[in-house]
Amino acid sequence: HVLVNDAYSRVCGVPAGEIMGTRFRPDIVPEDLPRLNTYYASFTPEHPSGTIQYRIILPDGHTRWLEWNDRALFDNDRNITEYQSVGRDITDKKKFEQELIESEAKFRELVGLLPQVVFETDLEGRLVFVNQHAFEAFGYDSDILDHMNSVFEFIIPEDREKARKNFELVIRGTKVEGSEYSAARSDGTIIRTMVYATPIARENRVIGYGVSS
């Protein structure tokens, strides 16, 4: 290390004076080491930069998540002579993401027990979640998530344009009351269903629809 700032010293829990002039590397969580080694081995003059996230173990035993943006400098013989790295502690961000995942898992577990059709799609209308009652009501199994191109395929052709327009209104933030469509079950029978759609947002960006019927 030829340059170390105070922030790096604090994150690693090691005085800067003990890092400067050494080949210091913090204690990496063992599960992250193979990925980290592969990452650094991938640098070439044609691909000199990258970003990686990994965990370190502090001297007090606590674990922190770091994100690094690295650039390798090469000599005329294509040998790496220096790394320039800018990092940040993303532990709180990772904790929030994990809590969100756990919260969504609990939510979906509860939704799975509801006696009504509930599903989620991405912005293109591809199904990303379907509760058990929806499978039973439409006569499909979980394989439908792998080969159904769009939720609009459930809706009969005569109602699809209306459904698409209403979903676009929801994405733009327009309040749309329940809309009635005719939909086809797996055996071809047609049922009338009242659909309520709401946008799903992550970090202030709409990523899909939540739908109940």
Side-chain angles (χ1 to χ4, degrees):
H1 286 72
V2 295
L3 176 64
V4 176
N5 68 2
D6 291 338
Y8 181 68
S9 175
R10 287 195 303 271
V11 167
C12 294
V14 178
E18 296 181 16
I19 299 175
M20 287 289 293
T22 71
R23 298 176 63 87
F24 171 82
R25 177 189 260 190
D27 191 7
I28 311 295
V29 171
E31 292 86 348
D32 293 352
L33 270 174
R35 182 168 52 85
L36 184 63
N37 291 333
T38 299
Y39 166 76
Y40 280 112
S42 71
F43 287 119
T44 66
E46 294 76 28
H47 177 73
S49 61
T51 300
I52 191 170
Q53 298 176 355
Y54 59 87
R55 294 163 293 173
I56 66 170
I57 303 172
L58 302 182
D60 63 7
H62 288 87
T63 299
R64 306 293 294 181
W65 272 97
L66 303 181
E67 180 181 83
W68 287 97
N69 295 303
D70 301 292
R71 174 172 290 276
L73 304 182
F74 294 81
D75 61 20
N76 293 333
D77 295 322
R78 301 175 63 89
N79 298 310
I80 295 176
T81 60
E82 181 181 337
Y83 288 105
Q84 295 178 344
S85 304
V86 178
R88 62 183 180 130
D89 187 329
I90 58 170
T91 305
D92 290 342
K93 177 175 179 288
K94 284 291 187 178
K95 181 180 178 181
F96 173 78
E97 290 174 350
Q98 184 59 37
E99 290 174 346
L100 182 61
I101 290 172
E102 293 173 358
S103 175
E104 288 184 344
K106 291 178 182 178
F107 169 76
R108 290 185 174 184
E109 183 178 349
L110 292 174
V111 167
L113 302 175
L114 292 177
Q116 69 184 86
V117 172
V118 179
F119 59 88
E120 296 178 8
T121 78
D122 61 17
L123 289 177
E124 284 69 47
R126 290 186 293 266
L127 291 167
V128 296
F129 169 75
V130 179
N131 75 341
Q132 185 60 38
H133 187 74
F135 286 128
E136 296 170 356
F138 284 89
Y140 290 97
D141 57 33
S142 59
D143 290 343
I144 192 67
L145 296 174
D146 297 324
H147 61 261
M148 176 66 73
N149 292 322
S150 170
V151 69
F152 298 109
E153 294 179 26
F154 288 112
I155 300 173
I156 65 172
E158 294 84 350
D159 286 353
R160 284 178 190 167
E161 185 61 26
K162 172 187 173 183
R164 291 183 185 278
K165 288 182 178 179
N166 284 337
F167 274 55
E168 289 172 1
L169 288 173
V170 169
I171 290 298
R172 292 201 296 267
T174 302
K175 185 176 181 180
V176 177
E177 301 296 337
S179 301
E180 191 172 356
Y181 310 106
S182 290
R185 301 181 74 252
S186 62
D187 61 6
T189 57
I190 304 300
I191 58 175
R192 292 294 289 177
T193 180
M194 183 68 72
V195 173
Y196 300 86
T198 185
I200 298 174
R202 296 285 185 277
E203 298 180 350
N204 298 318
R205 181 174 63 89
V206 175
I207 62 171
Y209 311 92
V211 182
S212 63
S213 174

